[in-house]
């Protein structure tokens, strides 16, 4: 792959990844309420989810979702329902100041569970699958071998996605360390839960391109 084409892909991918979406909002919510260990797990979950989604899209499954109304609808509703479920769980976990003491820590989530949640949400995002189908072919040289080019693009995007999520997670975690008031913790958790529910409803409203 020509270096200039690869660098263009890097710039375009970076610009697209910093745009807030369901995955990034989940990363920020978990990092601000759960800490550094979970922040790292969430970033790894994003990278894994993108690896699954992009690989399936590149080998043809994404094209199926783009052309099949039924497949797209199923993926859309599964992803939307999962986001709403996670959002409601986060809303219910928010404790009022009366339920929290200065010695309390936010309800902990196992790093493995956070990794699984982020992987699932990222992989099931129908917008991502559609995007990969439309985006990746622009950087494929039809006169060169397909597999090596696809491998380079997938690895590049996944690495950028993981680094991007980790930067946002660690920045949010740094802010968390300065937030000790129970009221602030409660509203952060509620805001994160409400955002996930909103993102789920937005995902449910997506329509397949025609």
């Amino acid at each position: 792959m020509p270096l200039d084409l690869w660098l263009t892909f890097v710039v375009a991918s970076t610009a697209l990844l910093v745009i807030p979406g369901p995955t990034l909002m989940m990363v920020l919510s978990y990092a601000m309420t759960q800490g550094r260990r979970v922040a790292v797990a969430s970033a790894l979950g994003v990278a894994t989810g993108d690896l699954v989604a992009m690989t399936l899209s590149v080998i043809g499954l994404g094209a199926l979702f783009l052309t099949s109304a039924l497949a797209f609808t199923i993926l859309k509703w599964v992803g939307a329902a999962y986001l709403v479920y996670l959002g409601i769980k986060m809303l219910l976990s928010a404790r009022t100041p009366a339920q929290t003491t200065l010695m309390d820590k936010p309800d902990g989530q196992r790093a493995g569970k956070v990794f699984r949640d982020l992987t699932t949400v990222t992989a099931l995002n129908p917008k991502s699958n559609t995007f990969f189908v439309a985006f990746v072919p622009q950087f494929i040289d039809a006169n060169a071998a397909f597999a090596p080019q696809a491998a380079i693009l997938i690895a590049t995007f996944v690495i950028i996605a993981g680094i991007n999520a980790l930067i946002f997670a660690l920045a949010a975690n740094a802010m968390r360390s300065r937030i000790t008031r129970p009221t602030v913790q409660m509203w952060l958790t509620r805001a994160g839960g409400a955002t996930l529910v909103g993102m789920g409803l937005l995902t449910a409203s997506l329509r397949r391109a025609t």
Side-chain angles (χ1 to χ4, degrees):
M1 175 175 292
L3 179 61
D4 59 339
L5 185 62
W6 179 78
L7 290 175
T8 302
F9 179 79
V10 170
V11 172
S13 298
T14 302
L16 289 164
L17 284 167
V18 298
I19 299 174
T23 298
L24 189 55
M25 295 309 300
M26 282 190 68
V27 169
L28 294 175
S29 298
Y30 276 131
M32 292 190 73
T33 58
Q34 305 299 329
R36 181 182 296 270
R37 181 170 62 89
V38 170
V40 174
S42 65
L44 291 175
V46 170
T48 303
D50 276 324
L51 174 62
V52 172
M54 193 173 185
T55 300
L56 293 178
S57 296
V58 169
I59 65 176
L61 185 57
L64 171 64
F65 288 125
L66 191 62
T67 58
S68 169
L70 177 61
F72 181 88
T73 300
I74 291 174
L75 183 66
K76 178 183 74 173
W77 284 107
V78 170
Y82 195 64
L83 281 171
V84 172
Y85 164 73
L86 292 175
I88 292 175
K89 279 191 63 177
M90 187 171 287
L91 285 170
L92 294 176
S93 71
R95 295 184 295 175
T96 65
Q99 296 172 311
T100 309
T101 69
L102 292 178
M103 297 302 293
D104 283 335
K105 294 182 179 179
D107 291 336
Q109 296 280 356
R110 296 191 310 275
K113 180 180 182 303
V114 173
F115 172 84
R116 183 193 67 202
D117 289 346
L118 265 298
T119 298
T120 304
V121 168
T122 305
L124 289 178
N125 187 348
K127 188 175 181 179
S128 295
N129 284 274
T130 303
F131 162 76
F132 288 141
V133 172
F135 181 66
V136 174
Q138 301 179 51
F139 299 90
I140 296 290
D141 184 354
N143 298 317
F146 174 81
Q149 294 181 88
I152 291 172
L153 295 178
I154 291 173
T156 300
F157 190 91
V158 168
I159 291 171
I160 295 174
I163 292 174
N164 177 70
L166 184 60
I167 290 173
F168 274 97
L170 293 179
N173 180 66
M175 293 175 60
R176 170 184 176 271
S177 65
R178 295 176 174 82
I179 299 173
T180 57
R181 295 177 58 187
T183 301
V184 176
Q185 291 284 354
M186 178 191 69
W187 282 108
L188 282 175
T189 304
R190 288 180 176 177
T195 299
L196 291 179
V197 172
M199 289 295 184
L201 297 177
L202 182 62
T203 298
S205 71
L206 290 175
R207 296 187 181 277
R208 185 169 63 93
T210 56

